Amino acid sequence: MQIGIVGLGRMGGNIAVRLTRHGHDVVLFDRDPAAVTKTHDRAEKGRAQSASSVEDLVSKISADRKIVWVMLPAGDITEACVQQLKGLLGKDDIVIDGGNSYYKDDVRRSHVLAEKGIHYVDVGTSGGVWGLERGYCMMYGGTKDSTDHIDPILKALAPGKGDVVRTTGRDKPGLDPRAEEGYLHCGPAGSGHFVKMVHNGIEYGMMQAFAEGFDVMKSKNSNVLPEDQRFDLNMADIAEVWRRGSVVSSWLLDLTADALAKNESLSEFSGEVADSGEGRWTIEAAIEESVPVPVMTASLFTRFRSRSGNNYAEKVLSAMRFGFGGHVEKK
């Protein structure tokens, strides 16, 4: 299939390259010409075209149903691009928002585009800078017609079954087989980003638990403790042993172990931890639904506090964020 991709940052560029590796053709645009050149050079030969503008990108898509994947920061930038595409695309064309947009914006945009018969698909995309090789876990919302049409694109981006042990009972009726491949149609427009939003809220809590645990262990040699209760523990070794058969083994722990093996003090991280929006939106949704989420709320507030003085726990959080998404905190 042929698809246009607007936004060639850390994830957008890799998504484009992965698609070309799986036999799809891409038209590339980014406001930074160097990003277009870099992605074009990394793509499979003959499968990428460069565009000089969004208008040029749309004109170079020759498929009967034009597909444009928008991979831009949530908010005004994405909004402006979607509105621009409304004026450039026609009936049955498809706009995909693969960023981290607020799900209520997706619902609204889907109605606006539907006025011209344009389909809108929101794709919550997880995989960070590792997605090029590992594939992307995707949760998406939109009409059945549009999501079925772009299924080859999503299948190419997804990690596939790999060597993950199959869950018992997955053969029963009503379960979507695509979930085992790492991508899932969650429902109408907005549902994909809603599920991804909650995913990131959970991620906040998991990261915070790891960070606090390592902080407790790191502080076990404190002089406020009785001398015979002080332990000088090796954080890198503990992270490594937990990766081997422990019930807390996970990709987040893998990233932590990698960072600690390089520098146990994590001195390259300031410990000032940013939040990219999804954690706040998850808590807002919980308030609307009257659902208690004390862990996620506390983890978000801890990120706020980290910006006015921080400790080892926040450095661990920063290390994990850098590991999965290339996020660089302020020095």
Side-chain angles (χ1 to χ4, degrees):
M1 297 184 77
Q2 187 187 37
I3 182 173
I5 300 179
V6 179
L8 303 172
R10 286 191 300 264
M11 289 182 66
N14 282 348
I15 283 172
V17 173
R18 184 173 174 90
L19 286 174
T20 66
R21 289 182 179 179
H22 286 78
H24 297 284
D25 297 315
V26 297
V27 183
L28 308 169
F29 173 69
D30 190 283
R31 64 182 181 181
D32 178 7
V36 177
T37 300
K38 180 179 178 181
T39 304
H40 185 277
D41 290 347
R42 293 165 56 216
E44 292 296 307
K45 187 175 181 180
R47 293 212 169 271
Q49 296 183 68
S50 298
S52 59
S53 65
V54 173
E55 293 89 346
D56 187 35
L57 176 140
V58 171
S59 72
K60 288 180 175 176
I61 302 175
S62 58
D64 291 337
R65 294 184 72 175
K66 296 178 186 288
I67 306 168
V68 180
W69 183 301
V70 179
M71 202 66 182
L72 297 170
D76 293 343
I77 296 176
T78 292
E79 183 70 28
C81 186
V82 171
Q83 292 299 330
Q84 184 179 13
L85 288 169
K86 180 186 177 184
L88 297 171
L89 299 175
K91 182 175 171 54
D92 288 332
D93 291 340
I94 300 170
V95 173
I96 302 170
D97 178 5
N100 281 325
S101 289
Y102 186 37
Y103 78 97
K104 292 184 180 180
D105 289 335
D106 294 316
V107 175
R108 174 179 52 77
R109 289 170 187 155
S110 71
H111 294 317
V112 170
L113 293 182
E115 295 170 0
K116 282 192 62 178
I118 302 170
H119 295 265
Y120 180 91
V121 179
D122 55 293
V123 181
T125 311
S126 183
V129 295
W130 296 84
L132 176 60
E133 304 300 335
R134 292 168 57 113
Y136 299 91
C137 172
M138 292 170 292
M139 304 130 267
Y140 54 99
T143 63
K144 185 177 186 302
D145 172 72
S146 60
T147 56
D148 283 352
H149 184 73
I150 66 171
D151 189 79
I153 295 289
L154 300 174
K155 187 177 180 64
L157 292 173
K161 291 182 180 179
D163 57 0
V164 177
V165 177
R166 195 161 194 242
T167 301
T168 303
R170 283 297 308 180
D171 291 325
K172 70 181 182 182
L175 297 179
D176 191 332
R178 290 172 294 190
E180 291 186 286
E181 302 283 343
Y183 68 116
L184 178 67
H185 183 207
C186 298
S191 62
H193 276 150
F194 180 81
V195 173
K196 175 57 162 52
M197 177 188 79
V198 177
H199 163 282
N200 283 23
I202 293 169
E203 180 185 290
Y204 276 38
M206 293 173 64
M207 292 172 68
Q208 186 63 34
F210 273 124
E212 291 177 7
F214 279 99
D215 201 8
V216 170
M217 293 186 292
K218 183 72 171 176
S219 301
K220 188 55 180 168
N221 63 353
S222 170
N223 58 14
V224 303
L225 298 171
E227 190 170 351
D228 62 352
Q229 294 180 23
R230 298 177 196 170
F231 307 144
D232 188 12
L233 302 172
N234 187 297
M235 298 298 101
D237 285 345
I238 292 169
E240 187 62 32
V241 75
W242 282 358
R243 294 181 61 226
R244 313 289 172 167
S246 164
V247 295
V248 299
S249 58
S250 66
W251 188 26
L252 290 174
L253 182 59
D254 292 346
L255 297 171
T256 304
D258 183 66
L260 291 170
K262 292 174 181 174
N263 179 8
E264 187 179 351
S265 72
L266 302 178
S267 57
E268 67 270 36
F269 298 100
S270 71
E272 295 185 21
V273 186
D275 66 285
S276 53
E278 298 89 347
R280 300 188 191 206
W281 297 337
T282 301
I283 293 165
E284 289 173 1
I287 292 170
E288 292 174 354
E289 300 163 15
S290 299
V291 174
V293 287
V295 172
M296 286 188 278
T297 302
S299 66
L300 175 65
F301 286 1
T302 297
R303 293 192 179 201
F304 295 166
R305 187 196 59 75
S306 76
R307 297 162 210 167
S308 59
N310 46 75
N311 55 24
Y312 191 74
E314 276 79 49
K315 292 179 184 290
V316 176
L317 284 175
S318 290
M320 280 187 273
R321 291 188 85 241
F322 179 77
F324 67 71
H327 303 287
V328 180
E329 317 288 6
K330 292 193 304 182
K331 295 298 183 184

